[in-house]
Amino acid sequence: MDLEVIWRSLLMVTVGFLFLRFVGRKSVSQMTIATTVVLISVGSIVIQPVVNNGIINTIIATGVFILFLITAELLSLKFNFMEKLFTGKSKVVISNGNLQLKTLKKMRLTVDKLEMQLRQAGIKNISDVKTATLEPNGQLGYELQSDAEPLTVGEFKNLMTQLGYTFPTQIPSSSPRTNLFEEIQQGHTPSNPEQLH
């Protein structure tokens, strides 16, 4: 086995990863034609120094690239700092109904594109959003203001209980209730569930 091919593969996949990490966080569905063309071109350029010497080198390089991806995913499961390195972390783009323009600029996300994502989520007004985050995969996460939230089954049951109606008791869930948006705003790193270690 040619060690030079392995080292070239590791070098090029690392360089390619670092370059694409700077491209930003857009899911495949959100990529423009220009972004798609650039990413395909980068992929073609990254592989060129490795595979010019034949089919065996191409197979070895492909194996190294896949091994890199699997290793990155396993390390992300084990270590929070590796997850941040490989995937990034959520960024708050709306806080208490106010746009976080500095964050939007840093993420290279225009207000128009953010509004498009809000509309796709069925949100009519930015002021209705308590917190919105741009997730590492480019998708939008959001929490509505209490007055803009739809009525939940639990709230309906509470209301009906206050009016004198009784419901059969349910076994409470053993999972703790935590607000996922507060976690991001306070900068806390969630610990990985034990079953993923």
Side-chain angles (χ1 to χ4, degrees):
M1 184 179 290
D2 192 350
L3 287 177
E4 187 182 351
V5 174
I6 294 174
W7 285 115
R8 278 188 188 180
S9 301
L10 283 172
L11 174 65
M12 294 315 295
V13 75
T14 304
V15 168
F17 165 76
L18 292 173
F19 278 147
L20 295 179
R21 186 80 165 78
F22 288 114
V23 168
R25 51 179 75 198
K26 289 190 177 182
S27 65
V28 174
S29 63
Q30 293 176 312
M31 290 196 299
T32 62
I33 293 172
T35 310
T36 307
V37 169
V38 169
L39 292 182
I40 292 170
S41 302
V42 168
S44 301
I45 291 166
V46 162
I47 198 69
Q48 283 306 315
V50 181
V51 300
N52 282 339
N53 297 328
I55 193 164
I56 299 298
N57 288 349
T58 305
I59 293 169
I60 294 170
T62 304
V64 170
F65 282 26
I66 290 171
L67 188 63
F68 178 89
L69 181 61
I70 292 170
T71 304
E73 289 174 349
L74 289 174
L75 288 172
S76 295
L77 281 174
K78 281 283 187 188
F79 306 105
N80 285 324
F81 74 93
M82 294 301 283
E83 184 179 16
K84 283 183 185 177
L85 173 67
F86 288 124
T87 62
K89 58 182 183 176
S90 303
K91 302 286 184 183
V92 177
V93 291
I94 299 175
S95 181
N96 290 319
N98 297 311
L99 292 171
Q100 302 300 298
L101 296 176
K102 286 183 181 177
T103 306
L104 288 172
K105 189 174 181 181
K106 190 187 286 187
M107 298 288 100
R108 297 190 303 278
L109 181 69
T110 65
V111 175
D112 286 341
K113 286 184 181 176
L114 177 61
E115 288 175 344
M116 177 186 72
Q117 288 188 296
L118 291 170
R119 285 193 299 273
Q120 288 173 336
I123 298 169
K124 296 178 183 176
N125 298 305
I126 291 175
S127 59
D128 288 342
V129 181
K130 182 177 179 182
T131 307
T133 55
L134 187 64
E135 302 299 332
N137 66 355
Q139 298 297 320
L140 188 74
Y142 64 91
E143 176 187 20
L144 296 173
Q145 302 279 12
S146 56
D147 288 344
E149 287 181 353
L151 184 67
T152 66
V153 172
E155 291 167 337
F156 175 74
K157 284 182 177 180
N158 285 339
L159 180 62
M160 293 302 289
T161 302
Q162 289 173 8
L163 295 173
Y165 186 83
T166 56
F167 291 92
T169 56
Q170 286 185 320
I171 300 169
S173 171
S174 59
S175 301
R177 292 180 62 121
T178 55
N179 187 315
L180 301 175
F181 290 96
E182 285 178 9
E183 206 171 74
I184 293 166
Q185 289 176 319
Q186 295 169 2
H188 292 165
T189 303
S191 57
N192 289 330
E194 288 299 321
Q195 62 267 26
L196 295 180
H197 286 291

